[in-house]
Amino acid sequence: MTQVFKFGGASIRDAAAIRRLGELLARFPERPLIVVVSAMGKTTNALEALLAAARGSDDADYRERLAALRRDHLATVKALFGERADPVAGRIEALIDELDRRHRAHAHRERPFHYDQTVGIGELLSTTLVAAWLDEIGLASEWRDARDLIVTDDRYQAANVDWTATAERVRDLDSDDGRIRVTQGFTGATAEGASTTLGREGSDYSAAILAHCLGAEGVTIWKDVPGLFNADPRRVDNAVRLERISYDEAIELAWHGAKVIHPKTLAPLRQRAIPLTVRSFQDLAAPGSTIGDDARRDGEVPALMLCEAQTLLEVRPRDLAFMDEARQHDVLGRLVAAGLHAGLIDAGAMRLSLVLDGHPERLEPLVASLATDYGVTRRDDLTLVTVRHGDDALLRALGAGRDCLAERRNADTAQRLFPSAQCPATWHLPD
Ligand code: ADP
Ligand code: ASP
Ligand code: MG
């Protein structure tokens, strides 16, 4: 039965990490095996910066950034293949040249289209390297282009999957000839062949799309943490691993900011009852977390999600009228049009409060648009804290000594917004 593995940027961030990835895969001889890979390390951030440079007027900055990408990838090729680097280096050079050509061709088009024709090249570079390395160590692999597999609409930067067309395209992906299929996360293409991306951090979702379409037996996402915890273990000193949780609970955690899993990943898996395992690529003995149909453990321990760099907008009608449904509809319509997500929405008689992620290129036009018709007050540098299954004592303890600027609560979820300056670098979940 088919397994799908997904490896993120940290697991392939340099030559040593790619070697470890090879050792890991050598321990999984079962086939069919499909391996979905993100861009190396922080390459996608570097490609976004390159995009900004390509759209700006500083050609020297653009050239320097392109050269750095070339240099970094070629250095990894050299470190892995030594004397035998030439064929792989040639493919990397060709991809960087293609990236340059695409920037020249698309810099005058709309940003989302330009973005999708260029930023996904990070995954083409990384998979070229990984597939070549697997062959080098005797693990037969086949490199597959995700643009031939995942068919999407043309909503650039947040493309929607055409499930029927994708299922048709991936049919032979799990044919068992003993080779590992290596493909890119994050990317797809329209039926006409224009490259698209699924949204930042979208490689988890790519693995789920392929697994869903193939009816895979399971998906494993290999992370730099040994599972899904009840809070980010890097930010909360007493976070505990969740051994088993349900799809629904994991969707809530991911949606509210547990960034270890992209929120879109779980629904396609739940639909086919495909379990998702989160495991450590650094510690193969660690058992990880399993997300599946079993809900027995949900809510056993409270969970905490932290979203930083949030902005609070309080929107009020100018004419002292109510913030009625028609006005809420108008404000939220503008939010949707701006492509922003509100982590918390709270309405009063004459006010609608929105807590938004700080994407400046989307936020500033929204604020300007709202300010033409409404009174808008704004506060930046905020931290949104979401607690699942917390009691009053826990919420009181988390808020102690901090100004609560907005809040919302229902039966199982409570949210509080605090100034980040009042929040600790490391949190502790009160007992
Ligand atoms: P990848 O690049 O492989 O997709 P990410 O960096 O996106 O990996 O996700 C892993 C990170 O998610 C961890 O390093 C951890 O800091 C963070 N994280 C946030 N919330 C949680 C959580 N609830 N459980 C585990 N890790 C979490
Ligand atoms: N490389 C993409 C990103 O950094 C997708 C991913 O890593 O999941 O957003
Ligand atoms: Mg991720």
Side-chain angles (χ1 to χ4, degrees), residues 48-71:
E48 286 189 348
L50 181 74
L51 175 85
R55 296 182 76 75
S57 52
D58 186 349
D59 197 51
D61 181 37
Y62 170 79
R63 289 266 139 235
E64 172 45 39
R65 289 181 187 281
L66 188 72
L69 272 166
R70 191 187 296 268
R71 208 167 45 231

Side-chain angles (χ1 to χ4, degrees), residues 38-39 44 123 186 200-203:
S38 305
T44 307
E123 272 70 10
F186 182 49
R200 283 304 304 265
E201 302 290 331
S203 298

Side-chain angles (χ1 to χ4, degrees), residues 104-304:
R104 309 248 157 236
H106 303 309
H108 303 294
R109 302 283 300 269
E110 289 206 332
R111 185 181 183 279
F113 175 81
H114 181 193
Y115 184 107
D116 279 11
Q117 306 321 303
T118 52
V119 175
I121 286 189
E123 272 70 10
L124 292 175
L125 290 163
S126 65
T127 50
T128 298
L129 256 165
V130 166
W133 180 247
L134 296 184
D135 286 337
E136 178 77 11
I137 61 171
L139 284 177
S141 73
E142 184 191 34
W143 184 92
R144 295 289 295 264
D145 192 328
R147 294 169 298 184
D148 298 333
L149 299 172
I150 295 183
V151 185
T152 71
D153 67 6
D154 61 359
R155 188 151 179 252
Y156 296 109
Q157 286 194 258
N160 298 296
V161 176
D162 178 336
W163 295 94
T164 313
T166 302
E168 188 62 32
R169 295 270 191 97
V170 304
R171 266 203 321 216
D172 74 324
L173 195 62
D174 58 354
S175 59
D176 187 7
D177 60 0
R179 290 187 294 173
I180 300 174
R181 301 281 184 283
V182 177
T183 192
Q184 305 80 45
F186 182 49
T187 52
T190 63
E192 294 73 38
S195 302
T196 54
T197 64
L198 305 170
R200 283 304 304 265
E201 302 290 331
S203 298
D204 298 335
Y205 183 41
S206 301
I209 295 166
L210 298 178
H212 171 97
C213 291
L214 292 166
E217 188 181 15
V219 175
T220 304
I221 51 179
W222 297 90
K223 297 276 172 177
D224 59 358
V225 282
L228 172 63
F229 283 61
N230 71 330
D232 185 344
R234 297 185 194 286
R235 301 297 316 282
V236 178
D237 61 8
N238 58 343
V240 294
R241 183 175 56 88
L242 303 169
E243 205 174 303
R244 273 201 82 80
I245 65 166
S246 69
Y247 296 111
D248 288 355
E249 182 63 16
I251 288 171
E252 292 287 341
L253 301 187
W255 170 260
H256 286 112
K259 73 159 233 176
V260 63
I261 306 173
H262 187 280
K264 282 184 166 177
T265 308
L266 290 153
L269 298 180
R270 177 178 56 183
Q271 213 180 33
R272 294 250 161 120
I274 300 168
L276 175 74
T277 307
V278 183
R279 284 182 68 175
S280 163
F281 62 78
Q282 290 146 333
D283 181 4
L284 294 191
S289 302
T290 302
I291 297 151
D293 265 334
D294 180 354
R296 278 173 305 146
R297 302 270 175 90
D298 285 357
E300 238 175 31
V301 289
L304 173 81

